[in-house]
Every structure is written in structure tokens, then in C-alpha cells.
Amino acid sequence: MQVLYEDERMPKIVVAADGTVLAFAAGCRYLRRSEDQGETWSDPEEMNPGGKGNAIVDETTGDVLVVCPPQSRLLRSADNGRTWTEEQIDIRANAIGHGTPDGVPADGIASESGITIRDGEHAGRLVMPVRIQPPEGTNDQEYWQYNYNTSIYSDDGGASWQIGEPVQSGTGEGTLAELSDGRIYYNSRCHMAVDHRRRIAWSHDGGHRWTDWQVSEDLFELAGPHYFKYGRDPSYGCNAGLVRVPHEVTGGRDVLIYSAPDNPGAITPHDGRIRMTVWASTDGAQSWPTKRLVYGGISVYSSLAADREGNIYLMFESGEEKRYESIRFFRFDLDWIGLTE
């Protein structure tokens, strides 16, 4: 366990093509690099002053991208995060006209990092979770239900991006992972329900449409505060982390790791966001029977990544007396969580 950032939020972690671990903070505004699997780290670098991005590794080219949909821009690194160049990108709205900066923008700052599709018809496609929110200044009681998760994807290495179709109303800050059968699993924070369960959807077309809605039987949310004046005390939830462990490590099995505070139904996130925990699924996200506590104190947003040598990397917001005191890093493997590699 290490502290990587003080007084920062929004952790994102990815593994570059050469195995370098890239630990971002503050909407990918800051970056620290580790070339020895998290043992030592470079000093924090401000590489994205706008701080409006989400990270993804293009496994086809090896480039690392920080995509900033609200600004129609991305930062690209062809040397595993050492240096960066900036590009303007084209973003195409979804079927209901959402997702472009000049309309109702997409925002991935608090969502989990993106993936490269490895198999099937859409192999090589870059897919990231994003959130659609009403324009700034209108995210109030009348518009709360119009928040929804979706995706943004690129088939040309990041030059242009298409906004996907809605996941569900009342969701935000999503995660996604590809399974070996070609489906993409989407796991969403939920703001509107009273059952405190994570919202699940699936894509059968490479991350464009999201169907087969269900709730998780094992993964639960925190409760209030009751920002929405209609109804009765819905879940408020929390951002979560998600990664599929590379098949080179699992012998071809679909092993997913999920991270979040473990205190379902807590009254408020101020009191209830504690006990950072990781769960494991070995049956295509149908169940999550294995879990282990990482940190017992205040625990908020998190992000996960994994490499081909069996290391799993977790970053999460933490505190001892108050929220957001630090962003911690923790490395573990499948044996530690109770699974045999």
C-alpha cells in the first residue's frame, strides 16, 4: 500500500504496452509512472492542465490516449506515457443527439478507464464508458433523471469517436469489460433506485447499443443523500473500478475484478463510504462470490488495471479523518484475493 497523491481526486490507472503502470489523478490532469510494477514512481507531472480526460491504451498501436470529450481533444503518447502530443478529435452524437461539446456533452472523468476490444468483428475498437449529463447549470431536481451512462468508441485509433446509445436513465459513472464470447459487460452506479443494487447492461455489437438490463445480485450501492426530491431515499451509489484479468494469466477464463466501498445501504456517502473492497467473478459477471477487504478506512472512488504477469493494480481515494486526503495504490494478485492463477 502506497500513497501516490495528496489532496487529489479521480484516480485512473492503466498498464502501457511495455508494462509501465500509469497512475493518473484529477481527471488525468496529473500522472505518475512506474516501470517496476508499482515499486517506485516518478514524481507527479501535470500533463493535462484542463483535467477533463479519461485514459485508454490502444492495444493495436501501443499508444496511450487521454480522451477529453467535453473539449473535443485528446492527448496521445507513443512512448508509454513519457511524452504527449495533443490532437483535436471529431465526436459524433448518438441517435438522440447527445454527446457533442456544443450540445449535451459526454463526460468520462469519473468513469472507469477504457478498453480495446480484442476479439471478433470489432477487434481493435477503442471503447470507453462515459456519462451524459444536462448542460452545466441545469443538473438540478428537474433534470436529475436525465443523467445516463453510455459509451464512446473509435474505430480509427482515436481520430474520431461515436457516442453510444443510452444504458439506463438514472445511471452515472460506469465501468465496462469485454468477455471472451464477444459481449461487453457494463456495470453502472445508480442514483434513482431504492434497492441499492448496481445496474447491469450488455452490448452485443461492440459497445454501441446496451440491452439485457438487470441488477446485480451481489454488488450493492450506498444510500442517500436524498438530492432528488421525488420518491423516497434512492440509492446514491459510488464510482467503482473494473478490469478483466488478461487471459494469459487466467488460462483463458473470464476473470473480472471489481472494486468499491463495501457498506451497502449506508445513510450518506459522507458517513458510509468506507471499507475499500475487491470482488472477483469467474462466471462472466453472473456472480461475485469472492471478495477481500483492502482498506478499512474512508474509501471513495477507485480504478483497476491488470498486467500480463498476474499483477492487479488498484488506485482509490482514501482518508483517515476526512474524505479525499489521499489517493492510495495497492498491488495484489489472484492468489491474494482467493483465486488460483
Side-chain angles (χ1 to χ4, degrees):
M1 185 83 70
Q2 302 177 52
V3 172
L4 293 189
Y5 293 96
E6 299 281 1
D7 299 319
E8 295 292 347
R9 293 205 62 201
M10 305 299 176
K12 299 287 174 63
I13 191 162
V14 298
V15 179
D18 71 342
T20 299
V21 184
L22 305 179
F24 298 92
C28 294
R29 179 177 180 178
Y30 299 108
L31 169 64
R32 299 187 72 175
R33 301 173 68 253
S34 175
E35 297 181 353
D36 55 10
Q37 300 175 334
E39 294 291 335
T40 62
W41 296 86
S42 65
D43 292 334
E45 167 196 0
E46 186 177 21
M47 46 78 62
N48 180 22
K52 297 287 185 181
N54 194 0
I56 185 170
V57 176
D58 185 337
E59 296 185 9
T60 302
T61 65
D63 289 354
V64 184
L65 310 180
V66 170
V67 186
C68 309
Q71 301 166 331
S72 293
R73 59 187 278 269
L74 67 75
L75 289 89
R76 183 186 301 270
S77 175
D79 56 7
N80 306 300
R82 292 183 182 86
T83 61
W84 300 83
T85 58
E86 185 171 332
E87 305 172 14
Q88 291 300 119
I89 56 176
D90 176 50
I91 300 177
R92 297 185 291 270
N94 63 16
I96 53 178
H98 291 170
T100 58
D102 57 351
V104 181
D107 183 1
I109 294 172
S111 298
E112 179 61 291
S113 306
I115 65 170
T116 301
I117 295 179
R118 295 190 176 187
D119 302 307
E121 177 184 356
H122 301 288
R125 173 176 286 181
L126 308 178
V127 186
M128 296 174 57
V130 292
R131 178 184 190 179
I132 301 293
Q133 291 183 285
E136 188 173 354
T138 59
N139 187 21
D140 58 15
Q141 297 292 327
E142 300 302 323
Y143 289 88
W144 192 244
Q145 65 268 38
Y146 298 110
N147 285 260
Y148 66 86
N149 274 335
T150 183
S151 55
I152 184 171
Y153 61 89
S154 174
D155 290 319
D156 57 12
S160 62
W161 296 80
Q162 175 65 52
I163 300 295
E165 303 308 314
V167 172
Q168 282 176 287
S169 176
T171 56
E173 300 176 0
T175 70
L176 54 80
E178 179 191 11
L179 301 187
S180 57
D181 63 7
R183 294 179 300 158
I184 299 179
Y185 166 78
Y186 205 121
N187 181 309
S188 293
R189 175 181 178 176
C190 178
H191 300 289
M192 302 289 291
V194 295
D195 59 6
H196 310 304
R197 296 172 186 249
R198 298 286 292 190
R199 264 44 192 171
I200 309 303
W202 298 87
S203 176
H204 304 268
D205 61 0
H208 179 67
R209 293 179 179 85
W210 301 95
T211 62
D212 301 341
W213 295 350
Q214 60 191 100
V215 296
S216 174
E217 296 297 327
D218 300 302
L219 304 178
F220 288 80
E221 291 279 29
L222 303 154
H226 193 196
Y227 292 155
F228 191 59
K229 67 183 180 182
Y230 307 101
R232 60 179 180 89
D233 294 336
S235 298
Y236 188 63
C238 188
N239 148 292
L242 178 72
V243 68
R244 186 184 79 176
V245 180
H247 282 177
E248 295 89 339
V249 177
T250 65
R253 294 184 300 161
D254 280 336
V255 177
L256 302 181
I257 307 296
Y258 170 88
S259 61
D262 186 21
N263 195 14
I267 299 302
T268 73
H270 308 282
D271 298 328
R273 288 176 166 179
I274 57 174
R275 292 201 296 269
M276 179 55 58
T277 301
V278 290
W279 287 254
S281 172
T282 60
D283 59 3
Q286 294 306 305
S287 66
W288 299 83
T290 303
K291 71 176 183 179
R292 186 163 181 182
L293 178 69
V294 173
Y295 177 77
I298 297 169
S299 306
V300 201
Y301 286 20
S302 60
S303 179
L304 283 164
D307 66 22
R308 288 177 170 82
E309 296 185 27
N311 297 296
I312 304 168
Y313 304 106
L314 169 68
M315 285 179 71
F316 64 98
E317 300 169 349
S318 66
E320 295 182 359
E321 297 181 358
K322 63 179 181 179
R323 293 187 295 166
Y324 319 135
E325 290 179 1
S326 61
I327 294 177
R328 294 175 185 261
F329 166 83
F330 182 66
R331 185 184 71 192
F332 61 100
D333 59 19
L334 294 181
D335 284 338
W336 180 86
I337 197 175
L339 300 178
T340 301
E341 296 184 12

